[in-house]
Amino acid sequence: MLRETINGETGLLVERLVDNGDGTGTRTTYDEHGNETSVEQLTGLPIPDLPADPDLIPPDPTRLRS
């Protein structure tokens, strides 16, 4: 999951949160000029429930298909 927070006045990115879906993620914050100011590795994020039927689990978009 990707969530971005945009400053309503400037239209610049303020924060980007990337949730890997496995309880980990990354939060990146930006200053008023759009420069990256910090990157924080996150743990303990909620892990979404997956369907019991493996056919209903969406494919992993990071895997290449042959």
Side-chain angles (χ1 to χ4, degrees):
M1 175 190 82
L2 172 67
R3 187 184 78 204
E4 296 183 327
T5 304
I6 305 293
N7 181 313
E9 292 181 21
T10 64
L12 292 175
L13 183 63
V14 175
E15 179 182 86
R16 175 178 286 142
L17 175 66
V18 178
D19 184 337
N20 298 324
D22 63 357
T24 66
T26 306
R27 176 184 295 123
T28 306
T29 56
Y30 301 86
D31 66 14
E32 64 275 4
H33 304 290
N35 301 309
E36 187 177 292
T37 58
S38 70
V39 177
E40 178 183 3
Q41 300 301 316
L42 306 174
T43 59
L45 297 174
I47 299 173
D49 292 329
L50 295 176
D53 183 346
D55 292 334
L56 298 176
I57 298 174
D60 183 347
T62 62
R63 294 184 65 194
L64 299 175
R65 296 184 181 157
S66 49

